Amino acid sequence: MTQCDCNSEKESLESQVKALKDLIEVAKAVVSTLDLDTVLQAILTSAMRFAETPAGSVALYYDAKRELSLHAHSGLTADFVKKERWEVSAGGLTEQVLRAGEIFYIEDTEETPFFNNPIALNEGIRSLVCVPLIFQERIVGILYLDDFAPRQFDREKLNLLSILASFAAMAIHNATLHKQTKLLAITDALTGLHNHRYFKQYFRQEMARAKRYHKPFSIIMMDVDDFKSYNDTYGHASGDRLLELMGELILQTIRNVDVAFRYGGEEFIVLLPETRLEQAVLAAERLRDSVQNGTAARLVEGTNRGVTVSVGVASYPENADKMDELFNIVDSLLYLAKRCGKNKVYHQESLQIPTT
């Protein structure tokens, strides 16, 4: 064996050792946390360093909807990543990756006839690797590694990327289970809304944020009118169905930034960040109307009388600047609405009642 051959073999071994060390570092990174977003960012950062690409992204795949959801990205423009969800296009690169379940790469997008993604071409992506993330024979996501110049990919590194993908898919699965478990702990099983325990935590957090950044903040509290009578008339199973429907109607009516809770029994709360009293009252009226119309249409056949709610609304800083005071005010307004006829939205400005 010549000296040149020995040097070449040594360099090859050193390269393989380095690649394996890199892979071990990647594996350590992706199994070091159970937070899903942290896991995905770790996967992307490690894979980009390992494959030596300047850009990339990770999208989770939802088989039932044939849809991808962007969760981590690096090195890409705001225009490229502004679309957070997209359906799998027939005949496209992603569909090929999903169908084959194997790593797929393109060394020059301009020389690849089937690659006709205008967004990627406008971004200037000239070469890329798509790595399916597979757990128990199910694709849970896709890792995209992008370069802005044509290039030849190292085949050994591509093979090692498949090992990385296995670690990554397992980490995604574990993080997703952890997230679901945490969500169950703060969710009311019947209504699908957040529970009382989480309300106290979130209320304190949002109140502190409103004070820190000098932002308005509102709270809506409502109670189903004559719930006991409804239970007695139609039975407890129908009562449960009513509460379940309340959760659906509330979530359909509020904004994405608002957060809804089942406070207890037939009482519900909605927290509205960065919302002044005037806008919160309008939101409360929409909720009152949505409950009355929605329950009339979907609860008891042969009647057009919906279930109603009594509602209180209060805001920081208009009505109070302390959390307990704000809660006591909205609670009092709710029960004042019940005593004064039900199916009403009450707030201090309209009633001109004192704050103490």
Side-chain angles (χ1 to χ4, degrees), residues 194-225:
H194 294 304
N195 59 23
H196 185 151
R197 184 178 69 174
Y198 188 57
F199 162 71
K200 292 190 289 186
Q201 174 188 332
Y202 196 85
F203 188 24
R204 185 177 298 107
Q205 170 188 314
E206 283 301 304
M207 191 73 177
R209 191 177 74 88
K211 288 185 175 183
R212 185 182 310 119
Y213 296 107
H214 307 288
K215 299 287 188 181
F217 171 64
S218 294
I219 177 171
I220 295 172
M221 188 173 189
M222 56 185 157
D223 184 90
V224 178
D225 295 328

Side-chain angles (χ1 to χ4, degrees), residues 56-76:
S57 59
V58 180
L60 297 187
Y61 177 61
Y62 303 95
D63 188 42
K65 296 182 178 180
R66 294 275 294 168
E67 184 179 80
L68 287 153
S69 174
L70 181 65
H71 278 257
H73 57 83
S74 181
L76 299 164

Side-chain angles (χ1 to χ4, degrees), residues 103-163:
I103 292 179
F104 199 99
Y105 62 90
I106 295 177
E107 296 185 333
D108 190 346
T109 56
E110 292 187 2
E111 299 297 325
T112 306
F114 71 83
F115 189 84
N116 57 3
N117 184 330
I119 299 175
L121 293 172
N122 289 338
E123 185 73 6
I125 294 172
R126 290 292 302 275
S127 55
L128 69 155
V129 180
C130 298
V131 186
L133 307 176
I134 304 171
F135 182 78
Q136 294 182 347
E137 300 183 354
R138 185 173 68 88
I139 295 179
V140 297
I142 297 179
L143 166 67
Y144 299 92
L145 301 171
D146 309 312
D147 205 331
F148 303 109
R151 62 179 283 183
Q152 291 186 335
F153 291 101
D154 186 318
R155 301 300 186 272
E156 288 186 5
K157 283 202 169 184
L158 291 182
N159 289 334
L160 290 173
L161 270 176
S162 65
I163 301 174

